[in-house]
Amino acid sequence: MTILTGHARLAGIMGWPVAHSRSPRLHGLWLRRHGIDGAYLPLPVRPERFADAVRALAELGFRGANVTIPHKEAAFAVCDRVEPSAERAGAVNTLVFRDGLIEGSNTDGYGFLANLREGAPGWRADAGPAVILGAGGSARAVAAALLDAGCPRLVLVNRTPARAEALARALGGPIDVADRAPLGDAALLVNTTSLGMQGQPPLGIDLASLPAGAVVADIVYVPRETGLLAAARARGLAAVDGLGMLLHQARPGFAAWFGAEPVVDAELRDFVGGDIPAR
């Protein structure tokens, strides 16, 4: 049993809805590992009350909070200060309350790269072009992280080309837009859409033209092995699932709120993903 004192450090995740979030389970294990007097709570907040709720948490002594759908853009607006990661992503997923200020960052790109490097140790950002499927908030965070890491060229593929073109203009840099994935010279293929997620239609992409050394990543983590990843493994390609991105993106927030540097390991993966269907 966890016993909190009057000095307990508090954080949580704000979303609407938020009951599905695995973040309390994730942070709860880290809190137990480090023996920290603290708690990480699910915080369901209606969109129209979000800004008031953030300020109330700061007044109540919370150290900060994670932010999930549909609040990430609203979180950007409520911050007194935002880090470059949030500026690039156009959204905030991590809030830190410090010295009377609300500070915001976006750790999605960090989590994506950390997971990619862990799951495909031989991958290098400068190895060749990256093809990104999708043009939403996750695509923006992933694209910005890849550009900042030194990827020579990105290709955005989206069912609404205008949205991909708007994202390319917002980020700047070597970004092309295509109506179908040009895989022939791709070093990395990333799915940032919900296609392939449990309850959603399959992605339906032919990987035959991907080079032998390419890496395939999917930010979907329900199921753990999507059809895209299964197809990549069948071709002998490196395949990186989405669960690690969820785990790694949580590390900077935990360190800021609770004062300890957590690690992502097999025990954490099994604990957080234990009830996620394998396929």
Side-chain angles (χ1 to χ4, degrees):
M1 180 184 296
T2 299
I3 305 296
L4 300 179
T5 76
H7 301 285
R9 299 181 176 206
L10 300 177
I13 179 162
M14 308 179 75
W16 188 260
V18 79
H20 66 283
S21 175
R22 288 176 168 80
S23 292
R25 187 173 177 87
L26 159 60
H27 287 274
L29 179 61
W30 281 339
L31 287 167
R32 189 177 70 192
R33 274 185 180 178
H34 291 276
I36 292 171
D37 179 13
Y40 182 97
L41 307 172
L43 302 167
V45 180
R46 294 180 182 275
E48 64 270 19
R49 303 304 300 273
F50 177 77
D52 290 339
V54 170
R55 297 186 184 98
L57 290 179
E59 290 295 326
L60 288 169
F62 273 64
R63 299 299 182 100
N66 281 129
V67 181
T68 189
I69 295 172
H71 300 318
K72 290 185 179 183
E73 292 183 2
F76 186 97
V78 81
C79 287
D80 299 303
R81 179 187 301 155
V82 294
E83 294 184 2
S85 61
E87 291 278 6
R88 290 279 274 163
V92 160
N93 77 338
T94 303
L95 297 169
V96 176
F97 308 144
R98 185 168 21 224
D99 300 327
L101 298 177
I102 300 170
E103 300 177 357
S105 62
N106 190 302
T107 63
D108 284 337
Y110 166 87
F112 172 78
L113 288 181
N115 184 46
L116 185 60
R117 288 170 173 143
E118 180 181 70
W123 176 81
R124 297 192 340 267
D126 61 358
V131 176
I132 298 176
L133 307 179
S138 296
R140 180 166 179 155
V142 167
L146 288 171
L147 288 174
D148 292 346
C151 185
R153 184 167 64 92
L154 300 181
V155 182
L156 301 178
V157 182
N158 193 57
R159 61 185 178 184
T160 308
R163 188 169 186 183
E165 290 164 0
L167 176 54
R169 287 194 299 272
L171 288 176
I175 305 177
D176 297 324
V177 174
D179 57 1
R180 63 178 55 197
L183 302 181
D185 63 345
L188 173 67
L189 171 65
V190 186
N191 176 40
T192 71
T193 76
S194 62
L195 295 176
M197 184 184 296
Q198 189 176 57
Q200 297 293 321
L203 180 58
I205 185 171
D206 186 355
L207 304 183
S209 60
L210 264 178
V215 175
V216 177
D218 199 332
I219 72 167
V220 170
Y221 60 86
V222 182
R224 293 277 293 272
E225 175 141 308
T226 61
L228 174 65
L229 296 180
R233 294 189 207 280
R235 282 208 54 219
L237 302 173
V240 182
D241 69 28
L243 180 61
M245 178 178 171
L246 171 72
L247 305 181
H248 281 286
Q249 63 82 31
R251 290 171 57 202
F254 187 92
W257 305 321
F258 299 115
E261 294 288 343
V263 298
V264 172
D265 56 17
E267 181 193 18
L268 184 72
R269 280 181 171 271
D270 290 344
F271 183 72
V272 176
D275 63 341
I276 298 175
R279 290 181 176 82

